[in-house]
Amino acid sequence: MIELRSMPTACGERRRDQACSQCGARALSICNSLDGADLQRLDALAERASFAAGEALIREGDEARNVFNITSGSVRVFKLLADGRRQITGFLFAGDFVGLATGDTYVFSAEAIEPVTACRFRKAEYRNMIRECPSLETALLERATHELAAAQNQMLLLGRKTATERIASFLLDLPAHDLARPMPAGHVHLPMSRSEIADYLGLTIETVSRVLSRLKTQGLLKLASLNEVVVMQPRKLRALAEGDI
Amino acid sequence: MIELRSMPTACGERRRDQACSQCGARALSICNSLDGADLQRLDALAERASFAAGEALIREGDEARNVFNITSGSVRVFKLLADGRRQITGFLFAGDFVGLATGDTYVFSAEAIEPVTACRFRKAEYRNMIRECPSLETALLERATHELAAAQNQMLLLGRKTATERIASFLLDLPAHDLARPMPAGHVHLPMSRSEIADYLGLTIETVSRVLSRLKTQGLLKLASLNEVVVMQPRKLRALAEGDI
DNA sequence: CAGCGGCCTTGATCTGGGTCAAGCTGTGTT
DNA sequence: AACACAGCTTGACCCAGATCAAGGCCGCTG
């Protein structure tokens, strides 16, 4: 048992009062939506877990026993085809929930990209929790709806955008998800590898690398390091992302 | 005010006790999850609406005033890029909800493919309803989670599957959504045009047409009419869809 | 029942991004 | 400091599916 309330980030605290660019919702963190008594009850049910880089929180096909709330680090959520082709359907950061699938088995996998800490809830207990704390359900519905809006944007990206538009959209959207990590304006931290970016955007690593190089040559970006991009011309990048060209 | 209870399909009745192939959930229709008293309350709030083919239920950017429950017909949900490129993010049938976005404005459009009837709920009233009827929220969360699982499958399809795999997946998954329309085993009804299939699968109409023709030549399908496909070899089609080749 | 128009199919050609193949870079190790 | 290795970049070439173009089919209308 961990005293979540004594640790500001333990239940996935995120910056408050920032409207989501994809669905317009505010106060998306579960923490922000619940009152003290509810958080206390969550507290009693939470078990802390940590994962090394590459370790799995959730494996597709396993019995769905747990729900996690990420408290630090970053996670890749993905599905595989039989021959190994991988689609990363999302990256998760502090404050995100994972494992809310309705069925008896997980329908996706989730692995730590960098060292991760999380609160684990047994799914059985989690159901009791919902019964006692209806506002949790409201908060989860809001988050699910938000993720659905994000998924629609991603489908638009995967189905209809060019490689350049995909990379531009990605660089502009990423900071909105990773709110726990404070970055100077214009700086984007990439905890994931090129191969993970490629599998998220439906491209190959070579194309990701080429497009980043071209955007750099064109002066839209600087590559401060492998894992840090500085957006030099956000207007132009936004125009590229929307296909306005 | 419409007496929903007196019309079996009015609140989006769907076949019961059929587990979803994408997320394992059962009883996905809202109707199936609610008891008589709750349905009666929903009843009092519902307003019947009908839409001609091509008419919009929801326009991206408009103020989000309504939530709809489709009671008959089929609907395309989509997003557009500035230059007109379209991604259809889903097709909706009897029993599906649309318009549950959290924000103040809709972030996608929804249009009737064929004549549609639906129950309209004012969003303000809908919020009261949730307060009075907590099991509605549970049902909606279950549906949202289900749609999220479907969205992840679609991202895998759009990001990593070949044209043939996309078409095969589409033909196998479609009947599971359109439960209200009873079809003989193996028969798939396509209420949407080739152009809508293309915009759903991230392809062009020419590619959709060519792949269907090839599958027909190979004896996997018959094209009974423009809008009806008969799957002759479901095993082989499933193998194609999963990329097992 | 002829003519029209919207959709669908099929063929020919083109191209964005994939594939294959070197190198490069940065980091950790001895 | 030299090395090794994993991940990244860059170049050359290729191909699945897009684009461009020409008919075909079918339901509707006069």
Side-chain angles (χ1 to χ4, degrees):
Chain A
M1 302 304 167
I2 306 285
E3 272 297 315
L4 295 193
R5 282 178 309 142
S6 63
M7 302 184 301
T9 64
C11 186
E13 187 83 9
R14 290 170 89 159
R15 210 169 298 160
R16 289 157 191 266
D17 299 328
Q18 175 156 351
C20 166
S21 62
Q22 306 207 325
C23 74
R26 289 180 170 273
L28 275 170
S29 167
I30 301 299
C31 241
N32 296 352
S33 316
L34 302 182
D35 65 20
D38 284 341
L39 285 178
Q40 217 167 339
R41 277 186 264 185
L42 263 185
D43 227 35
L45 294 173
E47 219 181 314
R48 164 157 289 196
S50 50
F51 300 88
E55 207 180 332
L57 287 77
I58 283 176
R59 253 181 277 266
E60 182 170 358
D62 278 6
E63 197 188 333
R65 286 205 189 85
N66 302 309
V67 176
F68 295 92
N69 186 325
I70 314 297
T71 50
S72 75
S74 47
V75 169
R76 55 178 179 251
V77 177
F78 61 95
K79 291 178 71 96
L80 295 173
L81 290 173
D83 61 3
R85 278 172 287 170
R86 176 176 73 168
Q87 180 65 36
I88 292 181
T89 58
F91 295 109
L92 302 178
F93 303 95
D96 288 323
F97 267 78
V98 59
L100 289 165
T102 42
D104 294 334
T105 58
Y106 294 121
V107 293
F108 54 82
S109 303
E111 294 174 356
I113 290 176
E114 37 180 3
V116 159
T117 61
C119 288
R120 185 193 349 242
F121 301 89
R122 299 260 149 214
K123 219 166 179 186
E125 288 169 349
Y126 153 85
R127 290 219 180 88
N128 295 334
M129 186 61 210
I130 291 265
R131 221 170 290 150
E132 286 177 34
C133 164
S135 58
L136 176 60
E137 191 156 57
T138 306
L140 290 175
L141 179 56
E142 192 162 303
R143 275 209 65 76
T145 312
H146 156 75
E147 280 183 42
L148 223 34
Q152 288 181 332
N153 278 318
Q154 193 67 4
M155 287 188 248
L156 176 62
L157 179 148
L158 291 170
R160 289 297 179 226
K161 289 190 181 179
T162 65
T164 308
E165 291 163 359
R166 292 178 200 208
I167 296 281
S169 302
F170 174 67
L171 291 175
L172 290 164
D173 290 346
L174 191 57
H177 292 109
D178 196 1
L179 293 175
R181 188 190 308 265
M183 296 289 291
H187 286 239
V188 182
H189 179 75
L190 306 173
M192 68 291 288
S193 68
R194 297 292 186 266
S195 139
E196 288 163 336
I197 297 174
D199 284 351
Y200 180 58
L201 299 178
L203 301 171
T204 58
I205 49 171
E206 293 93 332
T207 299
V208 170
S209 185
R210 271 187 256 273
V211 171
L212 284 174
S213 298
R214 210 184 55 243
L215 292 176
K216 179 185 165 188
T217 307
Q218 297 173 346
L220 296 182
L221 304 177
K222 274 185 189 160
L223 302 177
S225 75
L226 275 183
N227 296 316
E228 194 166 333
V229 170
V230 188
V231 177
M232 303 306 288
Q233 307 191 35
R235 285 273 174 75
K236 281 198 187 172
L237 201 63
R238 173 59 63 192
L240 272 187
E242 308 297 343
D244 293 346
I245 309 191
Chain B
M1 301 302 169
I2 307 286
E3 273 296 315
L4 295 193
R5 282 176 310 142
S6 64
M7 302 184 302
T9 65
C11 185
E13 188 85 8
R14 292 171 87 159
R15 208 168 299 160
R16 288 158 192 265
D17 298 328
Q18 176 156 350
C20 165
S21 64
Q22 305 206 325
C23 72
R26 291 182 169 274
L28 276 169
S29 168
I30 301 298
C31 243
N32 297 352
S33 316
L34 301 183
D35 65 21
D38 285 341
L39 283 177
Q40 216 167 338
R41 278 185 264 184
L42 263 185
D43 226 36
L45 295 174
E47 220 180 315
R48 165 157 290 198
S50 50
F51 301 88
E55 206 179 334
L57 287 77
I58 283 176
R59 253 180 277 265
E60 182 170 357
D62 278 6
E63 198 188 334
R65 286 205 191 84
N66 302 309
V67 175
F68 295 92
N69 185 324
I70 313 298
T71 50
S72 76
S74 47
V75 169
R76 56 178 177 251
V77 177
F78 61 94
K79 292 179 71 96
L80 295 173
L81 290 173
D83 61 3
R85 278 173 287 171
R86 176 176 72 167
Q87 179 65 36
I88 293 183
T89 58
F91 296 109
L92 302 178
F93 304 95
D96 288 323
F97 267 78
V98 59
L100 289 166
T102 43
D104 295 334
T105 60
Y106 294 121
V107 293
F108 54 81
S109 304
E111 293 174 357
I113 289 175
E114 37 181 0
V116 159
T117 60
C119 287
R120 187 196 344 246
F121 301 89
R122 299 259 148 214
K123 221 167 178 186
E125 287 169 350
Y126 153 83
R127 289 217 181 88
N128 296 335
M129 186 61 208
I130 290 264
R131 222 169 288 149
E132 286 176 37
C133 163
S135 58
L136 177 58
E137 192 156 56
T138 307
L140 290 176
L141 179 55
E142 191 161 305
R143 275 209 65 76
T145 311
H146 157 77
E147 280 183 42
L148 222 34
Q152 288 182 331
N153 278 318
Q154 193 67 3
M155 288 188 248
L156 176 62
L157 180 148
L158 292 169
R160 290 296 179 227
K161 289 191 180 177
T162 65
T164 308
E165 291 163 359
R166 292 177 201 207
I167 296 282
S169 302
F170 174 67
L171 291 175
L172 290 164
D173 289 346
L174 191 57
H177 293 109
D178 195 1
L179 293 174
R181 189 190 307 265
M183 297 288 293
H187 286 238
V188 182
H189 179 76
L190 306 172
M192 67 292 290
S193 68
R194 297 292 185 265
S195 138
E196 288 162 336
I197 297 174
D199 284 351
Y200 180 58
L201 300 178
L203 301 170
T204 59
I205 50 171
E206 292 94 333
T207 299
V208 170
S209 185
R210 271 187 255 272
V211 171
L212 284 175
S213 297
R214 210 184 55 241
L215 292 176
K216 178 185 165 189
T217 307
Q218 296 173 346
L220 297 183
L221 304 177
K222 275 185 188 160
L223 303 176
S225 76
L226 274 183
N227 298 316
E228 193 166 333
V229 170
V230 188
V231 177
M232 303 305 286
Q233 307 190 34
R235 285 275 174 76
K236 280 197 188 174
L237 201 62
R238 176 56 66 192
L240 272 187
E242 308 297 343
D244 292 349
I245 307 189

